[in-house]
């Protein structure tokens, strides 16, 4: 792939920082734009850094005018489903409104390519065992709805402008950490199951709660498609290459095509850590669909992306190596 100038919003966050690492290792010229509300400056291993908020349209336009990126990758967002149910406007502002600012700034600065961090939450409760990209978008929480609206904006802008193309990547459940232990998940508030299970193993939480055991799934707990963060980073590199080579817009699921129940995740976490941490089964958490598993054929066929780490134990082990080093 030709070296590019890439502006990365949210590059100090969990997924963004892994993409920065991969693209930095490939020699691209990177500039991270992040307000550090959820991210960490030390996680940005390559490129320049602008401490900025996406709500600041003036700084955003100036940053793009000065840097003149060939592509923008947009990670910065609020991501907690249950919080989005309690505080929907935060999600429409941070995810939808700020994306509008960013897309406007890209149009003003003639940025040709845009890669968007979308989510499996756009599908809501799918009617099939695995969802493909043509499945209908029926989000059941404001988080998913806030992202659907951005996908729609991107589609409309790309239709209206010849020289604007985008790829939306719909992430399933991203987990794990860099193999070399340099970066990993570092949220101020951990809500994800694998991180919480590991924190329970460390004794940071007295127990792990399983939210809901009466879902219509084989063991009654929710099923998710867990994808290693480095495989997801590789999907971003493939999306950039596709935009560069084909100059066409597209949407791809990012998952492995099979899922694990919460109970199965707990079993693997206990095995990897060697700690039989306490587990309590409690009521359902708001906004959780019973099953979300990707049909991931399209990304393989069109982008040539192949997973390298499709192994829950590997995912949990890399997360555990990272987590053990945290206080
Ligand atoms: N869970 C527990 N206990 C916990 C934490 C989670 O039982 O302490 C359960 C949840 O109820 C859910 C499953 O584990 O059934 C996975 O939950 P996560 O919070 O790890 O992930 P989500 O599936 O809620 O969220 C992820 C991404 C979102 C994406 C969403 C799609 O973080 O960005 O998948 O549903 F939108």
């Amino acid at each position: 792939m030709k070296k590019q100038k890439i502006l990365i919003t949210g590059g100090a966050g969990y997924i963004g920082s892994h993409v920065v690492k991969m693209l930095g290792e490939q020699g691209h010229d990177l500039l991270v734009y992040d307000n550090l509300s959820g991210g960490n400056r030390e996680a940005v291993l390559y490129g320049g850094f602008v401490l900025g908020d996406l709500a600041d349209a003036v700084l955003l336009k100036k940053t793009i005018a000065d840097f003149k990126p060939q592509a923008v990758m947009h990670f910065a967002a609020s991501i907690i489903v249950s919080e989005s149910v309690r505080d929907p406007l935060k999600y429409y502002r941070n995810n939808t409104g700020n994306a509008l600012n960013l897309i406007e700034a890209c149009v003003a600065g003639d940025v040709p390519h845009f890669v968007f961090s979308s989510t499996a939450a756009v599908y809501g409760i799918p009617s099939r065992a695995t969802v493909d990209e043509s499945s209908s978008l029926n989000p059941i929480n404001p988080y998913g709805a806030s992202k659907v609206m951005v996908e729609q904006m991107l589609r409309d802008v790309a239709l209206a402008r010849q020289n604007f193309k985008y790829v939306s990547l719909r992430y399933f459940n991203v987990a794990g950490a860099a193999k070399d232990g340099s970066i990993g998940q570092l949220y101020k508030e951990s809500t994800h199951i694998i991180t919480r299970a590991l924190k329970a193993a460390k004794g940071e939480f007295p127990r792990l709660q399983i939210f809901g055991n009466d879902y219509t799934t084989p063991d009654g707990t929710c099923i998710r498609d867990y994808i290693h963060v480095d495989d997801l980073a590789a999907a971003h590199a493939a999306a950039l290459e596709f935009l560069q080579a084909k100059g066409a817009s597209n949407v791809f699921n990012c998952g492995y095509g099979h899922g694990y129940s919460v109970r199965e995740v707990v079993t693997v976490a206990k095995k990897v850590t060697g700690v039989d941490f306490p587990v309590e089964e409690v009521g359902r958490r708001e906004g959780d669909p019973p099953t979300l598993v990707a049909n991931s054929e399209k990304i393989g066929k069109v982008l040539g992306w192949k997973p390298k780490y499709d192994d829950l134990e590997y995912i949990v082990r890399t997360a555990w190596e990272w987590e053990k080093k945290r206080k």
Side-chain angles (χ1 to χ4, degrees):
M1 184 180 8
K2 273 208 307 249
K3 305 295 177 237
Q4 297 194 51
K5 289 173 89 167
I6 307 163
L7 181 75
I8 301 182
T9 77
Y14 169 50
I15 298 169
S17 63
H18 285 79
V19 173
V20 166
K21 180 170 186 279
M22 185 170 285
L23 296 178
E25 285 166 355
Q26 292 175 359
H28 295 283
D29 183 4
L30 310 177
L31 181 63
V32 168
Y33 187 99
D34 200 302
N35 67 2
L36 297 182
S37 61
N40 300 280
R41 180 66 183 88
E42 321 78 74
V44 182
L45 301 182
Y46 289 88
F49 185 85
V50 175
L51 180 65
D53 200 295
L54 290 168
D56 185 346
V58 174
L59 179 62
L60 204 46
K61 284 201 175 120
K62 182 177 180 325
T63 303
I64 287 178
D66 291 347
F67 185 56
K68 299 185 182 57
Q70 278 117 6
V72 166
M73 291 188 151
H74 178 36
F75 295 93
S78 297
I79 56 157
I80 302 173
V81 170
S82 53
E83 181 189 52
S84 80
V85 177
R86 292 193 307 273
D87 189 359
L89 291 178
K90 174 173 177 182
Y91 282 71
Y92 293 119
R93 183 175 301 282
N94 287 350
N95 296 0
T96 313
N98 284 348
L100 171 60
N101 279 350
L102 179 62
I103 297 166
E104 253 176 358
C106 288
V107 168
D110 279 326
V111 177
H113 296 152
F114 195 100
V115 179
F116 175 56
S117 302
S118 189
T119 169
V122 298
Y123 296 117
I125 301 181
S127 50
R128 276 168 284 165
T130 63
V131 264
D132 66 29
E133 292 82 352
S134 63
S135 306
S136 51
L137 305 185
N138 293 310
I140 58 163
N141 48 59
Y143 169 68
S146 73
K147 294 272 184 173
V148 170
M149 291 179 201
V150 181
E151 286 202 13
Q152 177 140 12
M153 280 194 273
L154 288 169
R155 200 171 53 229
D156 293 343
V157 174
L159 282 174
R161 294 179 63 85
Q162 268 297 319
N163 54 353
F164 181 86
K165 306 285 185 235
Y166 73 95
V167 166
S168 283
L169 297 175
R170 293 178 181 157
Y171 308 165
F172 283 66
N173 287 60
V174 190
K179 203 186 333 197
D180 63 10
S182 55
I183 47 175
Q185 203 177 85
L186 201 58
Y187 292 134
K188 288 177 181 103
E189 188 194 349
S190 310
T191 60
H192 292 100
I193 181 69
I194 291 177
T195 307
R196 290 181 76 94
L198 299 179
K199 285 186 185 296
K202 271 169 77 184
E204 217 170 290
F205 298 143
R207 71 188 73 79
L208 177 77
Q209 294 190 318
I210 292 183
F211 300 133
N213 58 10
D214 58 350
Y215 285 99
T216 51
T217 58
D219 73 11
T221 66
C222 290
I223 293 177
R224 294 289 181 274
D225 185 338
Y226 295 90
I227 172 174
H228 191 276
V229 65
D230 281 337
D231 272 336
L232 185 67
H236 287 75
L240 265 186
E241 208 169 337
F242 171 83
L243 283 166
Q244 210 177 59
K246 300 278 193 277
S249 297
N250 219 325
V251 178
F252 301 100
N253 282 345
C254 296
Y256 291 147
H258 54 87
Y260 295 92
S261 73
V262 175
R263 284 205 186 121
E264 287 171 324
V265 171
V266 170
T267 302
V268 171
K270 288 188 173 185
K271 181 176 169 202
V272 166
T273 60
V275 182
D276 188 14
F277 53 83
V279 174
E280 180 190 13
E281 302 203 348
V282 297
R284 294 182 179 197
R285 189 176 70 175
E286 269 181 304
D288 280 341
T291 301
L292 255 184
V293 176
N295 175 323
S296 52
E297 280 170 24
K298 184 177 170 190
I299 188 168
K301 269 195 207 127
V302 180
L303 297 189
W305 173 85
K306 282 194 199 74
K308 280 163 83 178
Y309 308 111
D310 179 2
D311 172 359
L312 186 60
E313 239 183 86
Y314 175 82
I315 293 174
V316 174
R317 201 172 332 110
T318 55
W320 179 232
E321 290 307 318
W322 167 255
E323 196 56 51
K324 275 194 297 190
K325 292 194 296 187
R326 313 269 71 75
K327 277 201 281 346

